[in-house]
Amino acid sequence: MELKRVVVTGLGALTPIGNSLDSFWENLINGVSGANIITRFDAEKFKSKFACEIKNYDPKDFFDRKEVRKLDLYAQFALIAVEEAMQDSMLDLKAIDLDKAGVIWGSGIGGLGTFLHEIEGFVEGNYTPRYSPFFIPKMIANIASGHISMKYSFRGPNFTTVSACASSTNALIDATNYIRLGKANVFITGGSEASINEAGIGGFNSMQAISKRNDEYKSASRPFDETRDGFVMGEGAGALIFEELEHAKRRGAKIYAEVAGGGMSADAYHLTAPHPDGIGAINVMNAALEDADLKPEDIDYINVHGTSTPLGDVAEIKAIQKVFGEYAYKLNISSSKSMTGHLLGAAGAIEAIASIMATIKNICPPTINCKKLDSQLDQKLNYTLNKAEKREVRAAISNTFGFGGHNASVIFKKFKD
């Protein structure tokens, strides 16, 4: 069968460097760090006392008191970003087939804050079981997609992808394939995460995954730098409206870009570390290029996973050089996480938006905080260090890799009718 084409018709962002699409993009290309001292809890006793939090956030600005009781922070973030994307798309809910409109959302952890709060209450209450009736429906990782579908009456396919830091990229790929196969006309897709709490910071501290540069927190997320010591935790949400091309054209929709294709793979190697030769990353980028029917030379920009971990950054660059060969030296490569921190399951959605905007604006966002490249990395590659670069971006790849060896890459290209 002939696969249908998929386009992006709406975007929404709630991030540590901007609470809207426009503010996120402006701060991204201007190299603004989202890191600061943690305000959500007293982190004084923790090894890492900083993170990339959403700024100036008050749930009462978006939800009434009853709604807040029912919504974990990760679901709040999801609904806010989706509302911006829906407004941006100008979808008329009375004019589309809601049975063929779905939601595929991504979250690596889900309601960790709710789980922590409820267990704390159990212990503080002398182990008396007085749990909230909303405990389970607030906590479960799929509930954000449920809330989204109920708000907009989308009755098509509805589920959540959970693959650690690759979760929302997997969601984008699944949404693409459902539309390609004619199973739906429209999808709300993306991801959200809210794990900046005692359990999240403590857990990642204990596994030596996050930076402990408390005296240099603004520049602690430093992908490719010789002195990097781990990622910086982020939070937020990214939402995208995917539409079948003819459906979008019939309603006169604004089209941001075309979803060219995506790939998925597994390292099958280690619980948390990437394969040192980047085998899974090589496979996933090759799979994405094949799915998109593109050659390496068709890509201009790669938004790398680039977490600022000693092992991950090196493995990913090795993989890029293997896939792109000599053409790798003509690419712009950068890591948004140097500014946003690592949004875990929401990272793929936010970085997909960054990649789409790069194709529209012909600007590659920078990698900030890198003062001296790791000697293990090829010094001649263009890591877009510290300053955005203008260039034509015909197509961009967004890479995401997660604990457990989950890899997902998605490609966006300029829309041509």
Side-chain angles (χ1 to χ4, degrees):
M1 63 179 294
E2 184 177 350
L3 297 178
K4 298 179 183 296
R5 294 171 65 185
V6 183
V7 293
V8 183
T9 58
L11 298 172
L14 180 63
T15 80
I17 61 170
N19 293 7
S20 66
L21 174 64
D22 290 343
S23 59
F24 163 64
W25 176 247
E26 181 179 356
N27 287 326
L28 192 72
I29 59 172
N30 286 321
V32 175
S33 171
N36 218 318
I37 298 300
I38 290 171
T39 63
R40 295 204 182 281
F41 65 95
D42 183 358
E44 184 57 35
K45 294 181 180 179
F46 289 76
K47 294 176 183 177
S48 299
K49 301 171 176 51
F50 60 95
C52 290
E53 294 177 324
I54 300 296
K55 312 298 187 295
N56 304 313
Y57 180 73
D58 185 342
K60 296 191 293 295
D61 292 339
F62 303 94
F63 310 99
D64 65 34
R65 185 173 56 84
K66 290 183 178 180
E67 286 181 302
V68 172
R69 289 183 61 217
K70 300 176 184 179
L71 296 169
D72 182 86
L73 194 58
Y74 100 99
Q76 294 176 30
F77 290 166
L79 287 165
I80 293 166
V82 167
E83 178 61 19
E84 183 183 20
M86 287 293 285
Q87 293 289 335
D88 186 40
S89 73
M90 299 184 70
L91 268 171
D92 182 353
L93 300 182
K94 295 179 181 179
I96 66 172
D97 183 352
L98 295 172
D99 292 332
K100 298 203 73 175
V103 182
I104 305 179
W105 202 249
S107 186
I109 299 177
L112 183 62
T114 293
F115 189 89
L116 173 64
H117 175 74
E118 293 290 333
I119 298 303
E120 283 178 337
F122 175 61
V123 174
E124 291 169 358
N126 197 25
Y127 298 93
T128 300
R130 295 178 179 174
Y131 291 100
S132 165
F134 299 118
F135 175 26
I136 300 303
K138 279 178 70 175
M139 176 200 68
I140 50 181
N142 69 295
I143 203 66
S145 64
H147 280 297
I148 294 165
S149 68
M150 286 184 276
K151 180 174 180 179
Y152 300 102
S153 300
F154 278 24
R155 295 188 294 265
N158 183 287
F159 60 91
T160 293
T161 53
V162 180
S163 49
C165 306
S167 296
S168 51
T169 305
N170 279 143
L172 303 183
I173 293 169
D174 282 354
T176 299
N177 287 333
Y178 271 90
I179 295 174
R180 280 173 160 180
L181 294 170
K183 304 292 185 182
N185 298 324
V186 180
F187 267 104
I188 297 170
T189 185
S192 59
E193 206 78 270
S195 297
I196 300 176
N197 49 49
E198 295 91 333
I201 297 295
F204 281 106
N205 262 158
S206 68
M207 62 189 298
Q208 309 296 320
I210 54 178
S211 173
K212 297 184 284 292
R213 293 185 177 279
N214 296 300
D215 295 333
E216 301 178 282
Y217 58 83
K218 281 288 186 185
S219 61
S221 183
R222 49 183 71 176
F224 315 128
D225 190 272
E226 195 167 57
T227 62
R228 67 194 184 280
D229 69 328
F231 69 82
V232 177
M233 184 82 81
E235 64 179 4
L240 303 91
I241 308 303
F242 281 8
E243 238 178 298
E244 191 271 322
L245 174 58
E246 296 305 319
H247 186 274
K249 287 167 65 176
R250 279 195 298 272
R251 69 178 189 87
K254 167 186 61 189
I255 295 175
Y256 279 107
E258 182 167 358
V259 190
M264 294 177 277
S265 76
D267 280 0
Y269 173 73
H270 189 270
L271 190 66
T272 57
H275 193 286
D277 296 324
I279 290 176
I282 292 167
N283 289 343
V284 79
M285 284 185 281
N286 278 330
L289 287 165
E290 180 180 0
D291 187 53
D293 194 24
L294 294 174
K295 302 184 295 294
E297 296 79 16
D298 295 322
I299 305 297
D300 294 302
Y301 171 58
I302 302 180
N303 190 297
V304 293
H305 187 55
T307 56
S308 185
T309 54
L311 297 177
D313 292 1
V314 173
E316 185 171 10
I317 294 302
K318 283 183 179 179
I320 288 170
Q321 290 187 287
K322 183 70 174 179
V323 171
F324 289 88
E326 285 299 311
Y327 183 71
Y329 298 102
K330 297 182 180 180
L331 292 166
N332 272 79
I333 296 165
S334 74
S335 172
S336 300
K337 292 182 182 72
S338 61
M339 292 165 277
T340 65
H342 192 351
L343 274 68
L344 307 179
I350 285 297
E351 291 157 18
I353 291 171
S355 301
I356 291 165
M357 294 301 290
T359 67
I360 298 166
K361 302 293 188 180
N362 289 314
I363 303 174
C364 298
T367 303
I368 67 169
N369 303 326
C370 184
K371 295 180 180 178
K372 185 178 181 182
L373 278 173
D374 187 332
S375 59
Q376 298 179 80
L377 299 173
D378 191 322
Q379 308 291 301
K380 295 180 181 179
L381 292 173
N382 185 356
Y383 301 94
T384 322
L385 297 180
N386 303 311
K387 187 178 180 180
E389 292 186 15
K390 294 183 177 181
R391 67 170 292 172
E392 183 184 10
V393 181
R394 299 164 297 164
I397 292 182
S398 178
N399 285 340
T400 46
F401 313 136
F403 286 169
H406 306 289
N407 307 307
S409 297
V410 62
I411 302 177
F412 299 96
K413 65 182 182 181
K414 287 188 187 300
F415 171 68
K416 294 181 180 179
D417 200 351

